[in-house]
Amino acid sequence: MKLVTTRHLFSLAVPLFLTAAYLAPLASWIHNFGSAVDSRLLMIAPKQLWTTIIYSSAATAIAVALGGALAIYHRFLVPDGRRWLSLLVCLSLFVGFIARNFAWLAILGFIEEGLSSVLGVRIYLAYSAFAVVLVMTSALVPLAFFVISNGLRPLRDEQLEAAQVMGVAPHQLFRAVIVPIALRSASLAFLLILAIASAYFVTPRILGGGKVDFIGTTAVWFLNHGDSTFANQLGLTLLVPGSLISASLALLVMRWRGRQLGF
Amino acid sequence: MKPRLLVGLLLILGVALATWLYLKRGRGRELIVVSYGGGAYQASHKRAFIEPYQAQTGIRVQSVVWGAEFGKLQEMVRSGAVPWDVVEVTASQFLRGSREGLFAQMTTLPDAEEFKPLPGGPTISPLGVPNVYWSTVVAFDPHAFPQVGPSTWQDFWDLTRFPGPRALYDNPRGNLEFALLADGVSPANLYPLDVTRAFRKLDELKPHVRVWWSDGTEPVQLLLSHQVVSSSAWSGRIVALGEREKEIRYSWKGAAHELDYWIVPRGSKSIDSASAFIRFASRPEEMAAQARLIGYGPANSQALNYVDAKILPHLPTAPANWALSFVINATWWAEHEQEVEAFWVRWKGQ
């Protein structure tokens, strides 16, 4: 009997590949800490990290709420409706990342013009924190939708019908059955999407007009100004929220596994 | 090993080999020229320098854009993997790069007869040839100010006379100088920069800066779409608008000139061809051709003899414009850039 098969090697290689992407920068961070860490890091990183966490959390929370609501609505549609809705959500995923930013810039400019001609006062929508959160949300809702939709799959029509036959009111069914199941996948969606959102750098740059600088945006700024070492150090500070998110994810998964195994 | 796995491995090896051969092809016969900025500026390089050089020598020249990300050039040279042959760098990068040994010595240079620097301007050296002066000017939207618009940096800061949102370049270089000019410092006394005073002056304007732009096309678009009423802008990007140029007005008072250099990065495989290209692109006729396309000022004074009288008033190096403006002190910035940039990022985020 072969002890190590190709399948074993593959199943080991993938986690190693994924972990390396986390451990390598962490090792570099620990190696450099104290000696080579740029004094400018303390001057810049805390504020940029705060901006990153606040706005990416806001965009993630809204995306999960909207994606969750859409996923529940999708769950109770007739099969044809489900297909069409899934297709529409999928289509939005295929809009190019950069194109989406510039499209929103044009849309917001158009709305500004319209409001200005109606109200006589210019209300600035583009180049603001609002614009950044709006566009990030628009990109993240489909991800939340698919994660939460998948989480709702154990919910069977027969079970719901049985509950209704037994006299359970629709609002009770919603509160006692649907919401808890949706919340479980929503919390997973939140953590996964937050990990993606906190690494955004193009949208804050384009839609924020240089006023909503995430860590990623600032790292790219320094890279463009010829300071790649410092850009690297700034980028590595994302390990702080990254580690927190990873730890939360691990706890969440362990908790679910524990429940499944009856701990 | 299973036959299917073996076939898969051979296929991957084949693709890798084909990619390597593809990437290796033509090196030595091809020259890669890197322009600082795309759009109209890169187009001016292509039409004025690259296409005529290709036609004359038969050497294929590839035009590439970079955003003057100095770190990229540093990494490239230090790693020894240098695909670029000719690169346009800013004056402060030229000083830094020369100090750090990032540039190769050119094997041929423009001769003194055909390249005459502007009065007081830098001369050519084996490490780099001055190329073009480009300018940051005060620009405004004539829809917002049909009669009189902001034409100095003091006007730009004057929100009572010229109300409305502004845009500025997301870079302390230039903006600190503009703030000091707005605060009453004369161009002759700008350097060494009083950084604290400049940031204090910038504080006044910060709430009214709608966009900190990062690309030369942005201020032009912002003004054309009436998103801001006034902005700093690179003059050439306005000149390159052609017919639509009248939709934006600008002033040379307090304009900041910066100089770019042509260099050959150390490690380039085509130093001879690269040097020959730089010599070609520094000839007065070619420089005048570029000035006609983009409206920036050739560093070779001889080129002004070939520039149309119509385009001359738009050039930073035209005597009348030169007298109203100042040149960014590259030496000061090369020494203080890193420190000031950190302050800039922190200040912007406050």
Side-chain angles (χ1 to χ4, degrees), chain A residues 115-151:
Chain A
L115 286 176
S116 147
S117 58
V118 172
L119 304 172
V121 185
R122 186 113 190 175
I123 296 168
Y124 299 117
L125 299 173
Y127 307 114
S128 62
F130 162 77
V132 173
V133 173
L134 176 78
V135 177
M136 282 178 72
T137 304
S138 84
L140 300 172
V141 166
L143 304 179
F145 168 78
F146 284 114
V147 174
I148 299 169
S149 280
N150 198 46

mmCIF file of all heavy atoms in Angstrom, chain A residues 115-151:
data_model
loop_
_atom_site.group_PDB
_atom_site.id
_atom_site.type_symbol
_atom_site.label_atom_id
_atom_site.label_comp_id
_atom_site.label_asym_id
_atom_site.label_seq_id
_atom_site.Cartn_x
_atom_site.Cartn_y
_atom_site.Cartn_z
ATOM 1 N N LEU A 115 -29.772 66.863 -9.675
ATOM 2 C CA LEU A 115 -30.192 67.461 -8.409
ATOM 3 C C LEU A 115 -29.914 68.960 -8.407
ATOM 4 O O LEU A 115 -30.720 69.752 -7.919
ATOM 5 C CB LEU A 115 -29.439 66.802 -7.242
ATOM 6 C CG LEU A 115 -29.883 65.384 -6.853
ATOM 7 C CD1 LEU A 115 -28.987 64.831 -5.761
ATOM 8 C CD2 LEU A 115 -31.329 65.398 -6.371
ATOM 9 N N SER A 116 -28.772 69.320 -8.994
ATOM 10 C CA SER A 116 -28.400 70.731 -9.010
ATOM 11 C C SER A 116 -29.393 71.538 -9.842
ATOM 12 O O SER A 116 -29.761 72.652 -9.472
ATOM 13 C CB SER A 116 -26.967 70.851 -9.546
ATOM 14 O OG SER A 116 -26.788 72.006 -10.246
ATOM 15 N N SER A 117 -29.868 70.968 -10.969
ATOM 16 C CA SER A 117 -30.820 71.723 -11.798
ATOM 17 C C SER A 117 -32.202 71.781 -11.139
ATOM 18 O O SER A 117 -32.942 72.735 -11.329
ATOM 19 C CB SER A 117 -30.896 71.142 -13.205
ATOM 20 O OG SER A 117 -31.265 69.805 -13.122
ATOM 21 N N VAL A 118 -32.533 70.757 -10.337
ATOM 22 C CA VAL A 118 -33.842 70.755 -9.664
ATOM 23 C C VAL A 118 -33.820 71.621 -8.405
ATOM 24 O O VAL A 118 -34.689 72.464 -8.194
ATOM 25 C CB VAL A 118 -34.259 69.298 -9.310
ATOM 26 C CG1 VAL A 118 -35.513 69.281 -8.449
ATOM 27 C CG2 VAL A 118 -34.490 68.490 -10.577
ATOM 28 N N LEU A 119 -32.769 71.406 -7.581
ATOM 29 C CA LEU A 119 -32.722 72.088 -6.282
ATOM 30 C C LEU A 119 -32.018 73.448 -6.334
ATOM 31 O O LEU A 119 -32.166 74.266 -5.440
ATOM 32 C CB LEU A 119 -32.004 71.209 -5.243
ATOM 33 C CG LEU A 119 -32.564 69.803 -5.017
ATOM 34 C CD1 LEU A 119 -31.647 69.001 -4.124
ATOM 35 C CD2 LEU A 119 -33.961 69.887 -4.401
ATOM 36 N N GLY A 120 -31.236 73.643 -7.374
ATOM 37 C CA GLY A 120 -30.496 74.898 -7.472
ATOM 38 C C GLY A 120 -29.250 74.919 -6.600
ATOM 39 O O GLY A 120 -28.550 75.924 -6.521
ATOM 40 N N VAL A 121 -28.993 73.823 -5.914
ATOM 41 C CA VAL A 121 -27.801 73.715 -5.059
ATOM 42 C C VAL A 121 -27.053 72.459 -5.454
ATOM 43 O O VAL A 121 -27.682 71.425 -5.719
ATOM 44 C CB VAL A 121 -28.191 73.593 -3.557
ATOM 45 C CG1 VAL A 121 -26.957 73.601 -2.675
ATOM 46 C CG2 VAL A 121 -29.146 74.689 -3.166
ATOM 47 N N ARG A 122 -25.741 72.542 -5.517
ATOM 48 C CA ARG A 122 -24.965 71.365 -5.901
ATOM 49 C C ARG A 122 -24.710 70.488 -4.672
ATOM 50 O O ARG A 122 -24.155 70.960 -3.680
ATOM 51 C CB ARG A 122 -23.640 71.820 -6.525
ATOM 52 C CG ARG A 122 -22.820 70.707 -7.086
ATOM 53 C CD ARG A 122 -22.713 70.788 -8.587
ATOM 54 N NE ARG A 122 -22.124 69.573 -9.129
ATOM 55 C CZ ARG A 122 -22.002 69.329 -10.412
ATOM 56 N NH1 ARG A 122 -22.444 70.193 -11.298
ATOM 57 N NH2 ARG A 122 -21.467 68.216 -10.846
ATOM 58 N N ILE A 123 -25.155 69.251 -4.738
ATOM 59 C CA ILE A 123 -24.871 68.302 -3.654
ATOM 60 C C ILE A 123 -23.793 67.361 -4.187
ATOM 61 O O ILE A 123 -23.985 66.703 -5.212
ATOM 62 C CB ILE A 123 -26.139 67.520 -3.245
ATOM 63 C CG1 ILE A 123 -27.169 68.512 -2.672
ATOM 64 C CG2 ILE A 123 -25.820 66.445 -2.220
ATOM 65 C CD1 ILE A 123 -28.541 67.939 -2.508
ATOM 66 N N TYR A 124 -22.669 67.326 -3.492
ATOM 67 C CA TYR A 124 -21.540 66.534 -3.988
ATOM 68 C C TYR A 124 -21.651 65.085 -3.535
ATOM 69 O O TYR A 124 -21.648 64.798 -2.349
ATOM 70 C CB TYR A 124 -20.222 67.147 -3.504
ATOM 71 C CG TYR A 124 -20.033 68.553 -4.017
ATOM 72 C CD1 TYR A 124 -19.951 69.637 -3.146
ATOM 73 C CD2 TYR A 124 -19.946 68.800 -5.382
ATOM 74 C CE1 TYR A 124 -19.787 70.918 -3.621
ATOM 75 C CE2 TYR A 124 -19.788 70.087 -5.870
ATOM 76 C CZ TYR A 124 -19.714 71.142 -4.986
ATOM 77 O OH TYR A 124 -19.560 72.409 -5.470
ATOM 78 N N LEU A 125 -21.763 64.206 -4.504
ATOM 79 C CA LEU A 125 -21.879 62.779 -4.200
ATOM 80 C C LEU A 125 -20.589 62.037 -4.545
ATOM 81 O O LEU A 125 -20.119 61.195 -3.776
ATOM 82 C CB LEU A 125 -23.044 62.176 -4.998
ATOM 83 C CG LEU A 125 -24.425 62.771 -4.715
ATOM 84 C CD1 LEU A 125 -25.454 62.217 -5.679
ATOM 85 C CD2 LEU A 125 -24.852 62.476 -3.286
ATOM 86 N N ALA A 126 -20.040 62.334 -5.729
ATOM 87 C CA ALA A 126 -18.795 61.656 -6.137
ATOM 88 C C ALA A 126 -17.622 62.200 -5.308
ATOM 89 O O ALA A 126 -17.755 63.234 -4.654
ATOM 90 C CB ALA A 126 -18.543 61.902 -7.618
ATOM 91 N N TYR A 127 -16.532 61.501 -5.357
ATOM 92 C CA TYR A 127 -15.309 61.885 -4.640
ATOM 93 C C TYR A 127 -15.573 62.079 -3.145
ATOM 94 O O TYR A 127 -15.279 63.123 -2.567
ATOM 95 C CB TYR A 127 -14.700 63.153 -5.243
ATOM 96 C CG TYR A 127 -14.477 63.052 -6.725
ATOM 97 C CD1 TYR A 127 -15.179 63.847 -7.616
ATOM 98 C CD2 TYR A 127 -13.569 62.137 -7.241
ATOM 99 C CE1 TYR A 127 -14.996 63.727 -8.981
ATOM 100 C CE2 TYR A 127 -13.377 62.014 -8.605
ATOM 101 C CZ TYR A 127 -14.104 62.811 -9.470
ATOM 102 O OH TYR A 127 -13.917 62.694 -10.806
ATOM 103 N N SER A 128 -16.190 61.088 -2.543
ATOM 104 C CA SER A 128 -16.506 61.181 -1.115
ATOM 105 C C SER A 128 -16.492 59.783 -0.510
ATOM 106 O O SER A 128 -16.480 58.779 -1.244
ATOM 107 C CB SER A 128 -17.898 61.783 -0.939
ATOM 108 O OG SER A 128 -18.850 60.934 -1.549
ATOM 109 N N ALA A 129 -16.553 59.749 0.839
ATOM 110 C CA ALA A 129 -16.612 58.461 1.537
ATOM 111 C C ALA A 129 -17.900 57.724 1.158
ATOM 112 O O ALA A 129 -17.918 56.499 1.017
ATOM 113 C CB ALA A 129 -16.552 58.691 3.036
ATOM 114 N N PHE A 130 -18.976 58.507 0.977
ATOM 115 C CA PHE A 130 -20.260 57.917 0.569
ATOM 116 C C PHE A 130 -20.088 57.140 -0.741
ATOM 117 O O PHE A 130 -20.556 56.005 -0.875
ATOM 118 C CB PHE A 130 -21.303 59.035 0.410
ATOM 119 C CG PHE A 130 -22.511 58.632 -0.388
ATOM 120 C CD1 PHE A 130 -23.506 57.845 0.181
ATOM 121 C CD2 PHE A 130 -22.644 59.028 -1.719
ATOM 122 C CE1 PHE A 130 -24.604 57.449 -0.570
ATOM 123 C CE2 PHE A 130 -23.747 58.645 -2.469
ATOM 124 C CZ PHE A 130 -24.737 57.852 -1.893
ATOM 125 N N ALA A 131 -19.415 57.771 -1.702
ATOM 126 C CA ALA A 131 -19.218 57.141 -3.016
ATOM 127 C C ALA A 131 -18.397 55.861 -2.884
ATOM 128 O O ALA A 131 -18.699 54.852 -3.532
ATOM 129 C CB ALA A 131 -18.548 58.122 -3.962
ATOM 130 N N VAL A 132 -17.381 55.901 -2.032
ATOM 131 C CA VAL A 132 -16.525 54.718 -1.846
ATOM 132 C C VAL A 132 -17.357 53.555 -1.303
ATOM 133 O O VAL A 132 -17.319 52.439 -1.836
ATOM 134 C CB VAL A 132 -15.339 55.038 -0.887
ATOM 135 C CG1 VAL A 132 -14.558 53.785 -0.544
ATOM 136 C CG2 VAL A 132 -14.419 56.082 -1.510
ATOM 137 N N VAL A 133 -18.141 53.833 -0.253
ATOM 138 C CA VAL A 133 -18.938 52.771 0.374
ATOM 139 C C VAL A 133 -20.001 52.262 -0.607
ATOM 140 O O VAL A 133 -20.221 51.049 -0.733
ATOM 141 C CB VAL A 133 -19.572 53.277 1.704
ATOM 142 C CG1 VAL A 133 -20.545 52.245 2.267
ATOM 143 C CG2 VAL A 133 -18.479 53.568 2.724
ATOM 144 N N LEU A 134 -20.608 53.181 -1.332
ATOM 145 C CA LEU A 134 -21.648 52.798 -2.299
ATOM 146 C C LEU A 134 -21.101 51.833 -3.355
ATOM 147 O O LEU A 134 -21.688 50.779 -3.625
ATOM 148 C CB LEU A 134 -22.192 54.060 -2.980
ATOM 149 C CG LEU A 134 -23.213 53.833 -4.090
ATOM 150 C CD1 LEU A 134 -24.585 53.529 -3.493
ATOM 151 C CD2 LEU A 134 -23.320 55.053 -5.006
ATOM 152 N N VAL A 135 -19.958 52.192 -3.926
ATOM 153 C CA VAL A 135 -19.417 51.383 -5.025
ATOM 154 C C VAL A 135 -18.846 50.060 -4.504
ATOM 155 O O VAL A 135 -19.004 49.017 -5.143
ATOM 156 C CB VAL A 135 -18.382 52.198 -5.834
ATOM 157 C CG1 VAL A 135 -17.769 51.354 -6.928
ATOM 158 C CG2 VAL A 135 -19.052 53.420 -6.429
ATOM 159 N N MET A 136 -18.228 50.110 -3.334
ATOM 160 C CA MET A 136 -17.748 48.848 -2.743
ATOM 161 C C MET A 136 -18.932 47.925 -2.477
ATOM 162 O O MET A 136 -18.887 46.727 -2.766
ATOM 163 C CB MET A 136 -16.994 49.121 -1.439
ATOM 164 C CG MET A 136 -15.571 49.629 -1.653
ATOM 165 S SD MET A 136 -14.736 49.994 -0.098
ATOM 166 C CE MET A 136 -14.452 48.369 0.557
ATOM 167 N N THR A 137 -20.000 48.512 -1.941
ATOM 168 C CA THR A 137 -21.195 47.704 -1.651
ATOM 169 C C THR A 137 -21.728 47.064 -2.928
ATOM 170 O O THR A 137 -22.058 45.870 -2.946
ATOM 171 C CB THR A 137 -22.290 48.596 -1.004
ATOM 172 O OG1 THR A 137 -21.739 49.205 0.148
ATOM 173 C CG2 THR A 137 -23.505 47.786 -0.618
ATOM 174 N N SER A 138 -21.788 47.861 -3.998
ATOM 175 C CA SER A 138 -22.334 47.328 -5.255
ATOM 176 C C SER A 138 -21.512 46.146 -5.755
ATOM 177 O O SER A 138 -22.039 45.239 -6.390
ATOM 178 C CB SER A 138 -22.392 48.425 -6.317
ATOM 179 O OG SER A 138 -21.150 48.554 -6.968
ATOM 180 N N ALA A 139 -20.217 46.154 -5.463
ATOM 181 C CA ALA A 139 -19.368 45.050 -5.912
ATOM 182 C C ALA A 139 -19.471 43.845 -4.978
ATOM 183 O O ALA A 139 -19.237 42.709 -5.404
ATOM 184 C CB ALA A 139 -17.919 45.529 -5.983
ATOM 185 N N LEU A 140 -19.818 44.105 -3.709
ATOM 186 C CA LEU A 140 -19.787 43.023 -2.716
ATOM 187 C C LEU A 140 -21.130 42.307 -2.531
ATOM 188 O O LEU A 140 -21.161 41.159 -2.073
ATOM 189 C CB LEU A 140 -19.307 43.566 -1.365
ATOM 190 C CG LEU A 140 -17.894 44.186 -1.359
ATOM 191 C CD1 LEU A 140 -17.604 44.863 -0.026
ATOM 192 C CD2 LEU A 140 -16.834 43.136 -1.655
ATOM 193 N N VAL A 141 -22.232 42.972 -2.889
ATOM 194 C CA VAL A 141 -23.559 42.359 -2.698
ATOM 195 C C VAL A 141 -23.663 40.982 -3.376
ATOM 196 O O VAL A 141 -24.136 40.025 -2.751
ATOM 197 C CB VAL A 141 -24.691 43.316 -3.168
ATOM 198 C CG1 VAL A 141 -26.010 42.570 -3.294
ATOM 199 C CG2 VAL A 141 -24.848 44.463 -2.186
ATOM 200 N N PRO A 142 -23.211 40.832 -4.629
ATOM 201 C CA PRO A 142 -23.340 39.508 -5.254
ATOM 202 C C PRO A 142 -22.622 38.406 -4.468
ATOM 203 O O PRO A 142 -23.127 37.287 -4.367
ATOM 204 C CB PRO A 142 -22.685 39.690 -6.625
ATOM 205 C CG PRO A 142 -22.764 41.145 -6.895
ATOM 206 C CD PRO A 142 -22.655 41.811 -5.570
ATOM 207 N N LEU A 143 -21.461 38.743 -3.897
ATOM 208 C CA LEU A 143 -20.723 37.733 -3.120
ATOM 209 C C LEU A 143 -21.551 37.316 -1.908
ATOM 210 O O LEU A 143 -21.689 36.128 -1.605
ATOM 211 C CB LEU A 143 -19.366 38.273 -2.670
ATOM 212 C CG LEU A 143 -18.427 38.796 -3.755
ATOM 213 C CD1 LEU A 143 -17.137 39.306 -3.142
ATOM 214 C CD2 LEU A 143 -18.109 37.675 -4.747
ATOM 215 N N ALA A 144 -22.111 38.322 -1.212
ATOM 216 C CA ALA A 144 -22.929 38.027 -0.033
ATOM 217 C C ALA A 144 -24.146 37.194 -0.446
ATOM 218 O O ALA A 144 -24.502 36.216 0.226
ATOM 219 C CB ALA A 144 -23.372 39.322 0.618
ATOM 220 N N PHE A 145 -24.739 37.559 -1.559
ATOM 221 C CA PHE A 145 -25.930 36.852 -2.045
ATOM 222 C C PHE A 145 -25.634 35.363 -2.239
ATOM 223 O O PHE A 145 -26.379 34.492 -1.777
ATOM 224 C CB PHE A 145 -26.401 37.490 -3.360
ATOM 225 C CG PHE A 145 -27.431 36.693 -4.089
ATOM 226 C CD1 PHE A 145 -28.766 36.718 -3.680
ATOM 227 C CD2 PHE A 145 -27.092 35.902 -5.177
ATOM 228 C CE1 PHE A 145 -29.722 35.980 -4.352
ATOM 229 C CE2 PHE A 145 -28.039 35.163 -5.851
ATOM 230 C CZ PHE A 145 -29.365 35.199 -5.429
ATOM 231 N N PHE A 146 -24.516 35.060 -2.910
ATOM 232 C CA PHE A 146 -24.230 33.656 -3.212
ATOM 233 C C PHE A 146 -23.870 32.861 -1.951
ATOM 234 O O PHE A 146 -24.279 31.708 -1.812
ATOM 235 C CB PHE A 146 -23.136 33.542 -4.279
ATOM 236 C CG PHE A 146 -23.661 33.866 -5.652
ATOM 237 C CD1 PHE A 146 -23.219 34.981 -6.342
ATOM 238 C CD2 PHE A 146 -24.639 33.075 -6.242
ATOM 239 C CE1 PHE A 146 -23.726 35.298 -7.594
ATOM 240 C CE2 PHE A 146 -25.162 33.376 -7.486
ATOM 241 C CZ PHE A 146 -24.703 34.495 -8.174
ATOM 242 N N VAL A 147 -23.131 33.487 -1.032
ATOM 243 C CA VAL A 147 -22.773 32.766 0.208
ATOM 244 C C VAL A 147 -24.037 32.472 1.019
ATOM 245 O O VAL A 147 -24.251 31.349 1.490
ATOM 246 C CB VAL A 147 -21.751 33.583 1.047
ATOM 247 C CG1 VAL A 147 -21.499 32.917 2.396
ATOM 248 C CG2 VAL A 147 -20.439 33.744 0.290
ATOM 249 N N ILE A 148 -24.900 33.481 1.157
ATOM 250 C CA ILE A 148 -26.096 33.300 1.996
ATOM 251 C C ILE A 148 -27.109 32.367 1.303
ATOM 252 O O ILE A 148 -27.738 31.528 1.952
ATOM 253 C CB ILE A 148 -26.714 34.668 2.378
ATOM 254 C CG1 ILE A 148 -25.671 35.480 3.176
ATOM 255 C CG2 ILE A 148 -27.979 34.491 3.217
ATOM 256 C CD1 ILE A 148 -26.014 36.918 3.400
ATOM 257 N N SER A 149 -27.240 32.499 -0.009
ATOM 258 C CA SER A 149 -28.137 31.599 -0.754
ATOM 259 C C SER A 149 -27.739 30.154 -0.519
ATOM 260 O O SER A 149 -28.587 29.282 -0.305
ATOM 261 C CB SER A 149 -28.042 31.868 -2.252
ATOM 262 O OG SER A 149 -28.800 32.967 -2.573
ATOM 263 N N ASN A 150 -26.444 29.923 -0.577
ATOM 264 C CA ASN A 150 -25.939 28.570 -0.349
ATOM 265 C C ASN A 150 -26.277 28.095 1.063
ATOM 266 O O ASN A 150 -26.619 26.931 1.269
ATOM 267 C CB ASN A 150 -24.424 28.556 -0.590
ATOM 268 C CG ASN A 150 -23.928 27.159 -0.800
ATOM 269 O OD1 ASN A 150 -24.525 26.405 -1.554
ATOM 270 N ND2 ASN A 150 -22.859 26.794 -0.116
ATOM 271 N N GLY A 151 -26.196 29.039 2.011
ATOM 272 C CA GLY A 151 -26.517 28.708 3.397
ATOM 273 C C GLY A 151 -27.982 28.360 3.591
ATOM 274 O O GLY A 151 -28.353 27.653 4.536
#
